[in-house]
Amino acid sequence: MSAKVTKIGVLTSGGDSPGMNAAIRAVVRTSIYRGLDVFGIMRGYSGMIEDDIYQMNSRSVANIIQRGGTILKTARSKDFYNEDGRKKAYANLVKRGIDGLVVIGGDGSFTGAYKLSKEFGIPCIGLPGTIDKDLYGTDFTIGFDTAANTAVQAIDKIRDTAESHDRLFVVEVMGRHAGYIALHSGIATGAENILMPEVNTTLDDMVASLSEQEKRKKLVNLVIVAEGYTPDPSQPHLKGAAETTRLMEERLKGLEIRVTILGHIQRGGPPSCMDRFIASRMGFHAVECLIEGRHNVMVGILHNNMHYTPLEIAIREKQKISEDWMNIVKILAS
Ligand code: F6P
């Protein structure tokens, strides 16, 4: 039986995502309700190493549920990769008696949490906070819904001008190595083609699809490209919309393509209702896990039920793009 947790530290790490504040709020308020002390750790693992840690109360998280970004700030700490950095960080937790951690972030952040739990025995809970939705063991990640909706709003606007000029547009969305924002926003905007790193769509496929659409006098063409998509597998360093467009223009001489890279607007803005809701549920259950002794897991939601995935599995495995979704893309865009 593991020792009772009495003081919880909470941090956000890696790329921020809309809804992280709602998760922090849920962790803080549930901890206080359950009689635990709760500490905010600033700038992820960097603040843990630099001892930038403060005690939070219910008021510390007032009026933040609707705000994008993270009040605890975030960072990708290089020093935390070293054992020395982690020793220093752990000593700062011990100094305050922090005996449980909630880490809100993606797989890189969970790797740090897993190492801390293994090396020092401190129980850690991961909350999936990333717009990329690339984590195994959860249907949704905190921030994905808002980011996908931001992309949809932008792509709808691009369609208006694309349609007026009968022009081909290539729009790049974020996602790092994953294509979920591309897939969801592409289906939701009726994009004619969606290019993702997980699906091997070659330039030949693209050229064939465009020629076929031209034959059918389908003039408007929106191609959504995930930033991690590689148009030419023999040159894996070439990625995203700019390279895809360049290679397409080389192949289809005379074709004029406009490119839009949506970039970091996808990471900001007020979180959607869905992101606030799942962040609140997950934050609440993170604290319950620490209290119940269900340690070193990522708290996710699968089929609308809470689902707990051991951190080492959450780090190793990836969500898969289903063939069914790809079929939907093909049939509905025809
Ligand atoms: O992981 C979230 C994410 O926004 C990715 O989609 C993107 O590739 C990356 O972070 C961008 O990171 P940075 O803000 O450091 O440029």
Side-chain angles (χ1 to χ4, degrees), residues 15 38 50 93 107 114 131 134 196 222 233 278 301 331-333:
V38 58
E50 290 156 23
L93 299 183
D107 52 359
Y114 181 65
I131 64 165
D134 55 346
M196 297 173 278
L222 273 178
I278 65 168
I301 299 177
I331 294 168
L332 299 193

Side-chain angles (χ1 to χ4, degrees), residues 192-193 201 203-216 221:
E192 279 75 15
N193 292 91
T201 315
L203 271 181
D204 286 343
D205 297 334
M206 274 303 297
V207 170
S209 149
L210 289 175
S211 324
E212 202 267 326
Q213 287 171 26
E214 203 186 348
K215 262 191 237 143
R216 288 190 290 117
N221 230 305

Side-chain angles (χ1 to χ4, degrees), residues 48-123:
M48 200 186 281
I49 294 173
E50 290 156 23
D51 202 19
D52 195 356
I53 301 173
Y54 72 103
Q55 185 154 9
M56 300 180 86
N57 59 41
S58 206
R59 293 299 94 205
S60 328
V61 290
N63 204 19
I64 65 166
I65 194 167
Q66 75 283 15
R67 282 165 53 191
T70 157
I71 60 160
L72 294 177
K73 300 193 181 281
T74 184
R76 296 187 175 104
S77 167
K78 290 217 167 52
D79 292 339
F80 204 73
Y81 288 120
N82 309 321
E83 208 183 326
D84 277 355
R86 292 196 293 276
K87 275 189 184 148
K88 219 167 151 189
Y90 181 64
N92 289 328
L93 299 183
V94 172
K95 196 161 85 182
R96 288 185 179 73
I98 295 173
D99 47 14
L101 269 187
V102 178
V103 172
I104 308 168
D107 52 359
S109 313
F110 296 167
T111 305
Y114 181 65
K115 285 198 168 138
L116 267 188
S117 71
K118 281 275 148 220
E119 289 168 1
F120 306 106
I122 180 160

Side-chain angles (χ1 to χ4, degrees), residues 176-194:
R176 202 181 291 272
H177 308 299
Y180 290 98
I181 299 179
L183 176 74
H184 285 237
S185 64
I187 290 181
T189 53
E192 279 75 15
N193 292 91
I194 305 175

Side-chain angles (χ1 to χ4, degrees), residues 201-208 229 231-232 243-244 247-248 251:
T201 315
T202 63
L203 271 181
D204 286 343
D205 297 334
M206 274 303 297
V207 170
Y229 169 74
D232 178 358
E243 293 301 340
T244 304
L247 295 177
M248 272 164 62
R251 293 283 292 273

Side-chain angles (χ1 to χ4, degrees), residues 219-240:
L219 294 174
V220 178
N221 230 305
L222 273 178
V223 179
I224 310 300
V225 182
E227 63 175 330
Y229 169 74
T230 308
D232 178 358
S234 69
Q235 303 185 76
H237 59 287
L238 303 181
K239 288 189 193 301

